[in-house]
Amino acid sequence: MQQQSQEQPQGSQVTFLGALAFVSRTLATSIEVFIHRRFGERYFGLHSAAVILAVLVFSTFWEGYDVTPLLGFLGFYFVACMGARIGIAKRRRSGDVEHSYYHGRPVLLNWWPFKKAKERTVKGLEPFLVFFTGVFVMPVSEPLGGYLMVASLGLLVSLGLAATYQRTRQLDMQDALIDQQNLAERLRESNWRR
């Protein structure tokens, strides 16, 4: 018989991971709204509102710099969020739905070199593309370039956490299948003995 071991993370670990997930997903949301399409209906939640706070707090670190481009980015973010929500409403009316928490299909998948690429592969490249975009924006606007570089790190961490979560769910499903197979075998054995 197999030994089942369940290790639960400590309270401080859970708090840290929760905060890390929230901050990284907030930063990722501020970027994904520009580089993805076809979001899930529940994707825009607290994280999308927290982007406002994140950008405003980030702008306070740039005293003496012109933060107008960063605030312009925030304005474009609002417009992109509204466009995404309109797209969600249109798809819902037509019956074309995605997973409700889906964080979007990369726009890069529509471009020539990525046509045959997997979505996961393209999403893995996006943090690096956003980082280098931030590097190129730095000479024009250091606050905006800096924000893009920090947001690319949030996007990278968010993708890593999502992959870990999916892997954990996959392992849980595999364990449940094995448990059910073991139970079915024990049931067959007990019925055979009767």
Side-chain angles (χ1 to χ4, degrees):
M1 182 154 161
Q2 296 176 353
Q3 197 69 293
Q4 291 184 356
S5 169
Q6 295 182 355
E7 293 181 24
Q8 297 294 327
Q10 301 295 334
S12 60
Q13 288 176 327
V14 170
T15 303
F16 171 75
L17 288 175
L20 177 66
F22 183 81
V23 170
S24 64
R25 183 154 175 228
T26 297
L27 292 170
T29 300
S30 70
I31 299 299
E32 287 173 334
V33 75
F34 294 108
I35 60 176
H36 293 172
R37 298 291 177 265
R38 297 185 57 87
F39 295 95
E41 189 170 338
R42 293 191 288 179
Y43 174 76
F44 294 100
L46 185 58
H47 300 96
S48 60
V51 169
I52 300 164
L53 182 62
V55 170
L56 293 177
V57 167
F58 190 81
S59 68
T60 63
F61 293 108
W62 296 91
E63 190 175 323
Y65 288 88
D66 181 17
V67 294
T68 305
L70 184 57
L71 297 177
F73 170 84
L74 188 58
F76 284 117
Y77 170 78
F78 282 127
V79 171
C81 282
M82 295 311 261
R85 286 189 180 271
I86 290 169
I88 291 168
K90 284 181 180 178
R91 281 197 323 276
R92 187 179 338 125
R93 270 185 269 138
S94 71
D96 181 18
V97 294
E98 296 285 352
H99 187 284
S100 63
Y101 288 110
Y102 183 51
H103 57 311
R105 184 177 189 277
V107 174
L108 287 177
L109 279 175
N110 298 330
W111 294 359
W112 172 75
F114 299 105
K115 287 228 186 240
K116 293 185 181 179
K118 291 185 179 180
E119 182 174 322
R120 188 176 4 174
T121 303
V122 173
K123 284 183 177 179
L125 294 173
E126 288 173 340
F128 302 102
L129 295 172
V130 172
F131 181 84
F132 287 116
T133 300
V135 168
F136 289 117
V137 170
M138 282 292 270
V140 178
S141 172
E142 287 189 30
L144 179 56
Y147 180 81
L148 291 174
M149 290 170 22
V150 169
S152 71
L153 180 62
L155 182 58
L156 184 65
V157 170
S158 181
L159 288 171
L161 290 173
T164 300
Y165 175 71
Q166 287 178 345
R167 177 68 179 149
T168 301
R169 284 189 65 201
Q170 179 184 357
L171 290 173
D172 288 344
M173 290 173 70
Q174 179 180 332
D175 291 344
L177 176 64
I178 292 169
D179 288 342
Q180 290 301 316
Q181 289 170 340
N182 290 340
L183 286 172
E185 186 175 326
R186 287 177 60 190
L187 179 64
R188 279 192 299 272
E189 287 174 0
S190 67
N191 285 339
W192 180 74
R193 290 182 187 148
R194 287 184 185 177

